[in-house]
Amino acid sequence: MHSIAERPLVETPPLDPAHRAAAERLGFWAREALEREVNLTPKPGLVDRRNSGAHRDMDLESFLASAQAIGPDFVRFASAGVAHARLAARDVLPQIRPIGLASEQAMYAATGGVNTHKGGIFALGLLCTAAGRLLGRGGALTRGGVCAEVADICRDLVQAELNSQREAHTAGEHLFRRYGLTGARGEAASGYATARQLALPVYLRLLEAGYDDETSLLQALLHLMAGNADTNLVSRGGPAGLDYVREAARALLRDGGVLHAEGRDRLAALDDALIERNLSPGGSADLLSVTCFLARFPERAPLR
């Protein structure tokens, strides 16, 4: 059990009013992305308003409490990005790691020691930091610019933490050694290419076509489940579990996915099937939050 008192204190760099307002806006978008992801229903194998998915230690309430607890940390990530805007990209991670560790402690305190958002803290923390660095240098906040900045920050992350000679300790390190999967670190080093290439175009295209936000996000999630090398699935069900989910999502998409007249019923049936198999595409859920966050930014800078 973790208590609030265990949370390390991390000083937030002082910012001018304009940068402070921008950091708070970025932090709000990050927290909102987590809340939108968990409220989206039905999500196969994942916590949502329908059930707790393939999880026995967490539910909708714990996810919402966690998002509320860690929300202020995304403002801290963005503020640190502004403060360290001129620092070499390779030197940024040590500066923001204390914020991430403190945020994890806040999450554990809010959930009674359950890991609800470690992946979200990592991904959205990096994105907020990257956006802050662009702001600090006077650059435009675009999807490509923010993602390229994350890729620069994390350029050596896979080599340093996965492809090293040290003994594997974390689940991600074990999965890399056994299957060559780079997981969350690889996604960051790619500038979140999976979210940008698989989910974001689908989400934006459906919104433009007049579909509601929930339908558009559910279809984007199916595309993630069909193409993402989700280490959460491999951890729970091995490569066979990953293959099962990918093929199930592809089968639904071949028939229209959630756009089919019975699309949501079919998603609910897949939810039941994944719960029975104890499979949860948590990596795709994290990338859906990334998709929600990135959709807030323009594709390119406006003309002056």
Side-chain angles (χ1 to χ4, degrees):
M1 182 71 70
H2 299 254
S3 69
I4 294 290
E6 292 176 352
R7 177 181 175 131
L9 295 177
V10 177
E11 294 293 331
T12 302
L15 303 179
D16 63 69
H19 282 142
R20 180 66 188 177
E24 289 178 351
R25 183 171 65 253
L26 290 166
F28 172 79
W29 289 349
R31 190 193 75 195
E32 181 191 55
L34 295 178
E35 293 172 344
R36 288 170 65 196
E37 184 279 319
V38 74
N39 275 296
L40 187 66
T41 304
K43 296 195 306 293
L46 297 162
V47 173
D48 58 18
R49 299 192 311 272
R50 182 174 187 254
N51 54 40
S52 295
H55 300 275
R56 295 184 179 89
D57 58 349
M58 58 186 76
D59 55 21
L60 180 65
E61 288 70 27
S62 62
F63 264 79
L64 292 175
S66 173
Q68 181 72 22
I70 67 179
D73 296 309
F74 296 118
V75 180
R76 296 183 177 97
F77 279 115
S79 299
V82 174
H84 300 298
R86 302 292 176 179
L87 193 66
R90 64 178 178 274
D91 297 326
V92 170
L93 285 177
Q95 300 299 323
I96 63 172
R97 188 166 281 118
I99 304 174
L101 294 174
S103 192
E104 289 179 12
Q105 291 302 310
M107 172 192 73
Y108 288 132
T111 63
V114 177
N115 173 16
T116 47
H117 282 125
K118 195 170 181 178
I121 293 168
F122 178 77
L124 293 169
L126 281 169
L127 287 163
C128 284
T129 301
R133 276 170 60 82
L134 292 177
L135 283 171
R137 298 198 296 267
L141 291 186
T142 64
R143 291 173 207 143
V146 171
C147 289
E149 188 70 30
V150 171
D152 281 345
I153 292 170
C154 299
R155 186 175 307 279
D156 300 323
L157 194 57
V158 171
Q159 176 65 30
E161 297 192 5
L162 293 182
N163 201 26
S164 65
Q165 297 303 311
R166 70 181 187 184
E167 183 181 353
H169 295 290
T170 69
E173 290 168 355
H174 284 289
L175 289 172
F176 177 77
R177 298 287 173 85
R178 186 168 184 181
Y179 302 114
L181 299 173
T182 57
R185 297 172 180 86
E187 290 294 340
S190 76
Y192 292 103
T194 301
R196 287 186 290 112
Q197 294 169 7
L198 296 184
L200 195 57
V202 172
Y203 173 62
L204 296 174
R205 184 172 67 248
L206 291 184
L207 285 181
E208 187 175 351
Y211 288 96
D212 62 86
D213 190 70
E214 186 169 82
T215 299
S216 303
L217 282 177
L218 285 172
Q219 191 78 341
L221 175 62
L222 271 178
H223 278 269
L224 286 171
M225 291 170 58
N228 179 32
D230 196 319
T231 53
N232 288 60
L233 290 172
V234 178
S235 180
R236 283 172 172 256
L242 174 63
D243 291 343
Y244 173 83
V245 171
R246 278 178 153 179
E247 183 49 45
R250 289 167 185 166
L252 289 181
L253 287 171
R254 284 194 293 269
D255 213 14
V258 74
L259 306 184
H260 187 278
E262 299 175 359
R264 291 178 191 244
D265 291 337
R266 293 178 177 186
L267 273 182
L270 181 56
D271 183 29
D272 294 338
L274 296 198
I275 291 171
E276 183 178 350
R277 290 168 172 79
N278 193 36
L279 294 173
S280 175
S284 292
D286 290 337
L287 291 179
L288 192 67
S289 296
V290 168
T291 301
C292 290
F293 184 78
L294 289 177
R296 288 289 194 173
F297 299 92
E299 182 177 359
R300 58 181 60 87
L303 295 176
R304 296 184 181 274

